[in-house]
Amino acid sequence: MLRDISTPGQAAASSPRRPDRNAPYRPASDDDPLLHGHGGVLTVDRLGTVPYVPTWELQDELAEQRRGRRIGDRLLLLEHFPVYTLGRGGDESNLLASRERLREIGAELVRIDRGGDITFHGPGQIVAYPILELKDPLDLRRYVRTLEAAMIDTAAAVGVTGERLDRYPGIWVDGERKLGAIGVRVKRGVTTHGLALNVNTELRWFDEMIPCGIHDKGVTSLALELGNPVPMEKIEDELARQLARHLGLRLTEGLVGVVGPGGGREQ
């Protein structure tokens, strides 16, 4: 996780009270909002399977528009072609594959500006990038808990019990197998990056790295836990619904396919 605030804050005397780090998780509500635009709309754009770098650039473009209030809160749902991403401060030695090996298996390595260490994105994994304006003062811990809660409830909808694990953001099964990863960035109040939920992911991809730099834990997928493949569209729909619910937003469908810099569909 990474908190990047580049706008000077108000004087201490006029600053809102800082969030209580020890407060239990609670979904957003009218009395206790998480977002600047609580009660508004979360527009879902379903991009299909897309390469990593152009999607990262798209997030930054949409985030800048969100800061300028030219668009509302957005949710990008997609799958990536095989890619390993390394967050700021991540240790490249956690990638076990050589450059030659990456070429052989058809994957790439991209250093990015989110928090966290190394993770994998690829087919069979649903990735969600919320572009949201958080309210001031920022409560990054609560935001991460919100993403975790949405994944936990999504997994529960198909009969898999996920849970949080202290010190390790994401969701886990039996405290040993990581089912969903989280890595976020907040710049001038607006979020980018997000979460990745293993649905039908081929877990062999994780053999090429030490996931999140954690040596003594494994990874899993909904398909592995259930013993059969899971319809991707069903999980995508449920994840969108749970994210909107926990964020206190109303869900609406946006575009299907590639979204351009202005937030519209490219032909």
Side-chain angles (χ1 to χ4, degrees), residues 223-264:
L224 181 63
E225 296 299 321
L226 294 170
N228 54 261
V230 183
M232 294 290 287
E233 185 175 338
K234 176 180 178 179
I235 301 301
E236 188 176 276
D237 289 346
E238 184 66 22
L239 180 60
R241 190 179 74 82
Q242 293 294 347
L243 282 167
R245 183 173 73 86
H246 282 276
L247 291 166
L249 298 175
R250 290 177 289 112
L251 194 64
T252 187
E253 288 296 323
L255 302 172
V256 176
V258 179
V259 176

Side-chain angles (χ1 to χ4, degrees), residues 106-176:
E108 60 179 334
L109 172 67
V110 181
R111 278 192 168 272
I112 59 175
D113 59 356
R114 62 158 171 78
D117 204 282
I118 192 167
T119 195
F120 168 78
H121 299 305
Q125 179 193 75
I126 294 177
V127 177
Y129 294 136
I131 313 296
L132 310 169
E133 183 178 3
L134 302 181
K135 75 179 183 71
D136 189 39
L138 299 182
D139 193 340
L140 184 56
R141 182 174 182 272
R142 185 182 178 199
Y143 175 56
V144 170
R145 286 289 188 91
T146 297
L147 301 184
E148 290 172 336
M151 285 198 289
I152 288 170
D153 287 347
T154 298
V158 292
V160 175
T161 301
E163 60 188 355
R164 298 184 180 93
L165 197 60
D166 287 344
R167 300 186 298 111
Y168 298 122
I171 67 166
W172 301 77
V173 176
D174 297 332
E176 294 294 332

Side-chain angles (χ1 to χ4, degrees), residues 43-47 62 74-78 254-256 259 263:
T43 301
V44 184
D45 299 311
R46 301 172 190 265
L47 306 190
L62 293 177
R74 301 287 280 264
L75 174 63
L76 306 182
L77 290 178
L78 53 108
L255 302 172
V256 176
V259 176

